[in-house]
C-alpha cells in the first residue's frame, strides 16, 4: 500500500463521471443525508480536513474476476437507492473505492447529481412527495445554522429562484463549468452582485470571497489524499476493508455480513440477491419497510446457525455457503411470512417489529413451505394461532431491545414441536420474564390509550375485530368524523366551552375508532353518526348486529352526547380486551370481585 499525491476534486469528479472509479461488491450502499453532504461542503470551504481515502487498483486482467458497481448519481429515497452494476469490459484498469464512498458520492451528488427525499406528511406512493433537489450556496450571507459558516442547501429549482436581498442561490455544480478564476468575477458582475444599489458592499465581498473559495477548492487545491492498494488477493482486500470499517459505528454488522457473503458465495451474487429481494418483499401489498438487516438475521436463524448474533466471527465461509445453499427456501419462507402479515392487514406503518416475522418464517420453512398457506381452509386454525401470537408479541413489544434473546429460544421450541404453531409453549417459556406476552389488567387498560395514526393502534383493533377480512381495502374510521372536532365547528354546534376541550382531547382515541371497509367509509364521509347508522341499518336486527360488532353502547348517540358515548364505548372495549387477553382463572376472580 502506498501513499499517493493528492488529487483535485474536479479531476476526481470527472473520473467518476467516466466510470474510472467504481465500488467493489463488498461496499455498502450510499446512506448519507442532505445534512451530511452540506456539512461536507462547508468543511471544505473552511479548510477542515475531510480525511484520507483508500483506493484499490485492479489490473485489467483481473477486472472481470470481481463484481463492481457505479457510484450513485441521482439519489431518490424511494426509487433510486441502489448502486447500478458496472459493465466492465476488462480493457481498462479500475480504481475501486475501499474507504471514502460516502464522501465521494456526496461530492458527486453535490456537484453533478441530485437528491430527492420524501416531504413530511406526504404519502409514500405520491410521486410529488419526492421533489428533485440540487445543491446550492447562498452567496450573500453566512449560514443561520451555528454549526455551519456557509449556507449550502439542497433546493428544488423553484426554491432556488426565491432570491431576495438576503439570498442569491448559486448552483454549486455550475462551478465545474468555470475553468478560469476570471469567470467567477464575470459571473458576479453579470448577475449584479457588485451593484451597490441592490446589495450591501459586505454582501458583495462575501459573495466574491465565497465563490472564489469554492472555485479554489474544486479546481485548484489538491484535497483528495489517498492510499492505493495494489494487491490482487481478495482475502487481503476484504480484511483491509473490514479493519477500516469495523472500528466505527457507521458500518453495521449486516454490512459486513453482506460484504463477506458477496466475497464468499460461490454461485450467486449475494449483494444483488439480497438487495433485490428486499425490494421485492417491500412491494408486497401496501408496502413494508424491511431492510438487509432483517433478511440477513433471518438467514442466520433459518439456516440453523448456532450463533445468530451479528459478530464478524460468525460470518465464516462455512456459514456463508450454508446460507447460499438455503437461499431459495429462506426467501420463499420470508415471502410467505410477509404475505401472511399482509393478509392480517399489516403494512410498513403498522408492523412495529419486522423481527416478529422471523419465527413465522422459520415455522413455514419447517412445515415445508406450503404455497397456499395464506388461503387454504386446511390452515385456517394455524393462521389464527399465528395471528394471535403476532398481535400479542407486537403489543407487548417482545422483540424490542435484544431480539436474539427471543429468537433463540423460540427457534428451539419450534424445532421441538410438531403439532401446529406452538403459541402456548412460547407463551409459557417467557412467562415471568421481561419478554412475556401475558397481559395484566394494567396492560389492558393502557391499550385504549392508543390514538389514530399510531402504529400500535392497528394491532389493538385487530383484537377487537377478529373476523375482519383484510383482503378488502379498509380504513381506520372515526365514528364521529374528525372534521367535526375543531374549536370553531364545536362552538358553532353549540357545544359548551367546558366540554370543547374534552371533545378535542378524546376524538382521536380508540373509543372513537372503528374498522370500515373502503367503500362504506367513503360513503360515510362526514355524516353525523346517528344519520349514518339510520342509513345503513334497515331494521333493528341490522342495527343490533352493527352495534355489537363495533362495540356501540346503548346510549344517546347524538354528537351532543359524545363524552358519555366515548366513556361507555371505552368500557365495552376494555371488557372485550379483558375477555380476550386475561387468563381464564384471573377472569373468574375478576367476576367474583365485581359481584
Amino acid at each position: 500500500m502506498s501513499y499517493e499525491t493528492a488529487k483535485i476534486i474536479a479531476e476526481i469528479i470527472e473520473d467518476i463521471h467516466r466510470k474510472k472509479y467504481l465500488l467493489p461488491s463488498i461496499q455498502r450502499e450510499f446512506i448519507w443525508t442532505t445534512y451530511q453532504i452540506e456539512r461536507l461542503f462547508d468543511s471544505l470551504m473552511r479548510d477542515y480536513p475531510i480525511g484520507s481515502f483508500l483506493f484499490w487498483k485492479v489490473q485489467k486482467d483481473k477486472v472481470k474476476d470481481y463484481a463492481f458497481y457505479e457510484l450513485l448519481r441521482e439519489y431518490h429515497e424511494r426509487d433510486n437507492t441502489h448502486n447500478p452494476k458496472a459493465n466492465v469490459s476488462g480493457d481498462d484498469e479500475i480504481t475501486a473505492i475501499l474507504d471514502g464512498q460516502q464522501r465521494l458520492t456526496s461530492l458527486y451528488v453535490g456537484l453533478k447529481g441530485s437528491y430527492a427525499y420524501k416531504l413530511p406528511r406526504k404519502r409514500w406512493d405520491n410521486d410529488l412527495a419526492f421533489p428533485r433537489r440540487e445543491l446550492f450556496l447562498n452567496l450573500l450571507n453566512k449560514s443561520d445554522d451555528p454549526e455551519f459558516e456557509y449556507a449550502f442547501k439542497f433546493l428544488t429549482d423553484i426554491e432556488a429562484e426565491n432570491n431576495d436581498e438576503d439570498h442569491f442561490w448559486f448552483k454549486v455544480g455550475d462551478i465545474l463549468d468555470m475553468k478560469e478564476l476570471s469567470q467567477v468575477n464575470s459571473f458576479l458582475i453579470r448577475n449584479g452582485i457588485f451593484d451597490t444599489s441592490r446589495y450591501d458592499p459586505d454582501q458583495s465581498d462575501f459573495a466574491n470571497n465565497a465563490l472564489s473559495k469554492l472555485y479554489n477548492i474544486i479546481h485548484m487545491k489538491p484535497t483528495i489524499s489517498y492510499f492505493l492498494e495494489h494487491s490482487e488477493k481478495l482475502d487481503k482486500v476484504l480484511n483491509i476493508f473490514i479493519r477500516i470499517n469495523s472500528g466505527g459505528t457507521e458500518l453495521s454488522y449486516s454490512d459486513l455480513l453482506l460484504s463477506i457473503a458477496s466475497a464468499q458465495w460461490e454461485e450467486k451474487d449475494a449483494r444483488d440477491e439480497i438487495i433485490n429481494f428486499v425490494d421485492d418483499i417491500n412491494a408486497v401489498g401496501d408496502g413494508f419497510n424491511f431492510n438487509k438487516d432483517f433478511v440477513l438475521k433471518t438467514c442466520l436463524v433459518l439456516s440453523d446457525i448456532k450463533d445468530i448474533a451479528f459478530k464478524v466471527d460468525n460470518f465464516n465461509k462455512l456459514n456463508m455457503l450454508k446460507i447460499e445453499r438455503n437461499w431459495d427456501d429462506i426467501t420463499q419462507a420470508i415471502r410467505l411470512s410477509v404475505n401472511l402479515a399482509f393478509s392480517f392487514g399489516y403494512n410498513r406503518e403498522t408492523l412495529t417489529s419486522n423481527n416478529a416475522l422471523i419465527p413465522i418464517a422459520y415455522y413455514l420453512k419447517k412445515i415445508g413451505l406450503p404455497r397456499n398457506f395464506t388461503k387454504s381452509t386446511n390452515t385456517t386454525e394455524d393462521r389464527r394461532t399465528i395471528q394471535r401470537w403476532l398481535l400479542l408479541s407486537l403489543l407487548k413489544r417482545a422483540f424490542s431491545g435484544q431480539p436474539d434473546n427471543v429468537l433463540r429460544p423460540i427457534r428451539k421450541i419450534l424445532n421441538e414441536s410438531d403439532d401446529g404453531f406452538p403459541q402456548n409453549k412460547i407463551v409459557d417459556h417467557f412467562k415471568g420474564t421481561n419478554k412475556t406476552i401475558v397481559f395484566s389488567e394494567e396492560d389492558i387498560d393502557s391499550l385504549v390509550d392508543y390514538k389514530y395514526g399510531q402504529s400500535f393502534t392497528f394491532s389493538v383493533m385487530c383484537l377487537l375485530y377478529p373476523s375482519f377480512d383484510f383482503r378488502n381495502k379498509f380504513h381506520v374510521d372515526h365514528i364521529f368524523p374528525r372534521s367535526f372536532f375543531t374549536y370553531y365547528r364545536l362552538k358553532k354546534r353549540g357545544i359548551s366551552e367546558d366540554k370543547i376541550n374534552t371533545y378535542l382531547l378524546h376524538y382521536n382515541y380508540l373509543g372513537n375508532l372503528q374498522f370500515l371497509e373502503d367503500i362504506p367509509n367513503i360513503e360515510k364521509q362526514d355524516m353525523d353518526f346517528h344519520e349514518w347508522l339510520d342509513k345503513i341499518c334497515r331494521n333493528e336486527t341490522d342495527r343490533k348486529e352493527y352495534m355489537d360488532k363495533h362495540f356501540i353502547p346503548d346510549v344517546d348517540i347524538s354528537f351532543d352526547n359524545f363524552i358519555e358515548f366515548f366513556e361507555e364505548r371505552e368500557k365495552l372495549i376494555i371488557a372485550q380486551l379483558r375477555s380476550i387477553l386475561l387468563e381464564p382463572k384471573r377472569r373468574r376472580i375478576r367476576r367474583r370481585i365485581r359481584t
Side-chain angles (χ1 to χ4, degrees):
M1 187 186 300
S2 58
Y3 188 74
E4 304 290 326
T5 304
K7 288 181 175 287
I8 295 166
I9 289 177
E11 178 186 349
I12 287 282
I13 294 299
E14 179 60 24
D15 284 343
I16 292 173
H17 192 68
R18 294 164 59 192
K19 303 178 184 179
K20 287 191 173 183
Y21 286 88
L22 298 174
L23 301 173
S25 61
I26 57 177
Q27 270 285 15
R28 56 184 164 168
E29 296 193 304
F30 182 61
I31 60 171
W32 272 26
T33 64
T34 54
Y35 179 85
Q36 289 172 293
I37 300 174
E38 292 158 5
R39 187 183 179 91
L40 175 65
F41 276 84
D42 182 67
S43 296
L44 288 167
M45 293 284 282
R46 297 166 78 174
D47 295 317
Y48 290 177
I50 62 169
S52 60
F53 297 77
L54 176 59
F55 301 148
W56 173 29
K57 180 66 73 174
V58 186
Q59 302 300 321
K60 58 184 178 182
D61 61 328
K62 294 291 184 180
V63 165
K64 287 204 168 184
D65 291 349
Y66 311 116
F68 295 96
Y69 294 79
E70 297 178 23
L71 275 74
L72 205 60
R73 299 168 184 236
E74 305 281 338
Y75 178 86
H76 190 290
E77 186 181 5
R78 184 191 66 186
D79 297 338
N80 193 39
T81 61
H82 303 322
N83 299 83
K85 199 164 186 177
N87 183 16
V88 293
S89 63
D91 296 332
D92 299 302
E93 292 181 342
I94 283 175
T95 301
I97 302 166
L98 292 181
D99 185 41
Q101 180 217 166
Q102 304 297 322
R103 288 167 288 162
L104 288 178
T105 302
S106 295
L107 289 172
Y108 189 92
V109 167
L111 288 162
K112 288 186 82 74
S114 65
Y115 199 115
Y117 58 85
K118 192 179 87 65
L119 296 174
R121 297 180 296 279
K122 295 283 188 181
R123 286 177 57 89
W124 188 260
D125 57 0
N126 182 359
D127 291 341
L128 298 179
F130 301 88
R132 184 178 185 272
R133 299 173 182 272
E134 293 175 287
L135 185 63
F136 287 83
L137 169 64
N138 182 15
L139 294 181
L140 298 183
N141 288 297
K142 292 184 177 182
S143 173
D144 295 329
D145 188 333
E147 293 291 319
F148 290 75
E149 183 169 335
Y150 294 90
F152 286 98
K153 291 291 179 185
F154 275 90
L155 304 173
T156 65
D157 288 339
I158 294 175
E159 290 171 336
E161 291 173 359
N162 291 328
N163 292 323
D164 54 32
E165 60 184 13
D166 293 317
H167 299 87
F168 185 97
W169 292 108
F170 172 79
K171 186 160 72 173
V172 175
D174 288 348
I175 201 71
L176 292 172
D177 298 327
M178 297 181 182
K179 305 301 182 184
E180 302 289 342
L181 184 57
S182 60
Q183 291 177 275
V184 170
N185 286 328
S186 297
F187 174 88
L188 296 172
I189 293 170
R190 188 167 61 252
N191 286 278
I193 301 298
F194 296 132
D195 185 348
T196 55
S197 67
R198 296 174 61 186
Y199 301 113
D200 186 276
D202 289 340
Q203 290 179 310
S204 300
D205 288 344
F206 182 84
N208 187 29
N209 291 333
L211 199 55
S212 299
K213 180 78 171 179
L214 181 63
Y215 174 88
N216 184 59
I217 290 295
I218 302 302
H219 288 286
M220 304 298 294
K221 185 178 179 180
T223 304
I224 308 299
S225 303
Y226 67 100
F227 293 89
L228 189 63
E229 173 60 44
H230 295 271
S231 176
E232 297 176 359
K233 296 180 179 179
L234 186 59
D235 285 346
K236 180 181 179 182
V237 173
L238 181 62
N239 285 330
I240 292 171
F241 177 78
I242 292 173
R243 180 64 62 85
I244 290 170
N245 287 290
S246 61
T249 58
E250 289 292 334
L251 185 67
S252 70
Y253 277 119
S254 65
D255 287 305
L256 290 179
L257 176 55
L258 183 56
S259 301
I260 297 173
S262 298
Q264 294 181 344
W265 279 21
E266 294 179 345
E267 297 180 4
K268 294 180 173 68
D269 185 321
R271 182 188 178 106
D272 279 356
E273 291 282 343
I274 292 171
I275 288 174
N276 290 335
F277 180 65
V278 169
D279 286 345
D280 287 346
I281 57 178
N282 278 336
V284 170
D286 295 328
F288 286 89
N289 192 30
F290 299 106
N291 55 25
K292 61 182 178 295
D293 294 59
F294 165 76
V295 173
L296 293 168
K297 178 65 73 176
T298 309
C299 286
L300 293 172
V301 176
L302 269 61
S303 295
D304 283 312
I305 292 170
K306 184 177 180 180
D307 192 344
I308 59 174
F310 279 165
K311 297 189 299 187
V312 174
D313 291 347
N314 294 337
F315 306 158
N316 55 60
K317 189 175 183 66
L318 181 63
N319 286 345
M320 293 307 98
L321 291 179
K322 190 174 185 180
I323 289 173
E324 183 182 17
R325 286 194 299 271
N326 281 280
W327 178 245
D328 290 343
D329 285 348
I330 290 170
T331 53
Q332 190 176 343
I334 295 174
R335 190 176 280 109
L336 272 173
S337 67
V338 174
N339 277 296
L340 189 60
F342 170 62
S343 75
F344 295 156
Y346 284 100
N347 57 34
R348 62 184 297 121
E349 305 296 336
T350 54
L351 184 65
T352 51
S353 172
N354 291 336
N355 286 327
L357 294 193
I358 296 178
I360 299 173
Y362 189 94
Y363 174 73
L364 292 171
K365 181 173 179 285
K366 185 188 177 214
I367 64 174
L369 301 169
R371 292 181 180 274
N372 60 345
F373 187 85
T374 61
K375 297 179 181 178
S376 173
T377 56
N378 295 328
T379 58
T380 300
E381 204 55 44
D382 222 6
R383 290 198 305 272
R384 286 175 180 164
T385 302
I386 292 172
Q387 183 185 23
R388 180 182 173 86
W389 173 83
L390 179 61
L391 287 171
L392 302 186
S393 297
L394 294 176
L395 287 172
K396 288 290 285 185
R397 310 187 190 200
F399 289 88
S400 62
Q402 299 293 327
D404 289 0
N405 295 335
V406 180
L407 291 169
R408 279 191 296 267
I410 290 180
R411 181 172 68 175
K412 185 174 185 294
I413 293 168
L414 289 168
N415 258 324
E416 295 172 351
S417 302
D418 292 311
D419 185 22
F421 189 83
Q423 175 194 248
N424 292 335
K425 292 179 181 177
I426 296 173
V427 171
D428 289 343
H429 178 86
F430 290 103
K431 271 184 182 177
T433 74
N434 62 350
K435 298 299 181 183
T436 183
I437 59 174
V438 174
F439 282 74
S440 66
E441 290 181 3
E442 292 73 18
D443 292 332
I444 294 169
D445 290 345
S446 69
L447 292 180
V448 295
D449 292 335
Y450 287 118
K451 300 166 66 175
Y452 179 83
Q454 293 180 333
S455 299
F456 289 97
T457 304
F458 174 79
S459 292
V460 180
M461 294 184 69
C462 285
L463 289 171
L464 299 172
Y465 292 84
S467 59
F468 196 85
D469 189 352
F470 293 105
R471 290 173 297 182
N472 301 319
K473 285 191 174 183
F474 69 95
H475 298 272
V476 175
D477 171 66
H478 288 77
I479 295 175
F480 289 91
R482 56 178 165 170
S483 62
F484 289 9
F485 293 86
T486 67
Y487 180 86
Y488 174 78
R489 294 193 70 173
L490 291 171
K491 187 76 172 173
K492 189 175 181 180
R493 289 182 69 111
I495 306 301
S496 62
E497 287 284 349
D498 61 320
K499 289 184 178 180
I500 285 178
N501 191 51
T502 304
Y503 273 61
L504 294 176
L505 284 174
H506 288 77
Y507 77 96
N508 253 343
Y509 283 95
L510 197 65
N512 189 39
L513 303 178
Q514 64 181 347
F515 275 153
L516 273 188
E517 291 185 359
D518 186 46
I519 294 176
N521 188 54
I522 293 172
E523 293 174 346
K524 179 174 180 282
Q525 292 184 342
D526 289 344
M527 289 182 65
D528 249 321
F529 178 54
H530 71 88
E531 293 178 9
W532 160 252
L533 202 57
D534 289 342
K535 178 181 178 181
I536 65 167
C537 297
R538 291 167 293 184
N539 51 56
E540 282 303 313
T541 302
D542 288 349
R543 187 183 184 90
K544 185 177 187 310
E545 182 180 330
Y546 181 93
M547 294 181 72
D548 289 345
K549 178 180 179 181
H550 295 280
F551 306 97
I552 306 300
D554 187 16
V555 297
D556 176 8
I557 60 171
S558 68
F559 188 65
D560 292 345
N561 197 46
F562 171 73
I563 295 174
E564 182 187 8
F565 169 90
F566 182 92
E567 291 173 346
E568 293 304 314
R569 185 167 188 262
E570 199 172 70
K571 290 177 185 176
L572 293 176
I573 288 172
I574 290 174
Q576 178 65 11
L577 291 173
R578 282 180 173 153
S579 71
I580 295 170
L581 296 175
L582 288 181
E583 296 175 341
K585 182 178 178 182
R586 295 177 63 192
R587 289 205 300 271
R588 287 196 298 272
I589 293 173
R590 183 76 180 182
R591 282 199 297 271
R592 284 200 298 271
I593 291 174
R594 282 185 171 180
T595 58

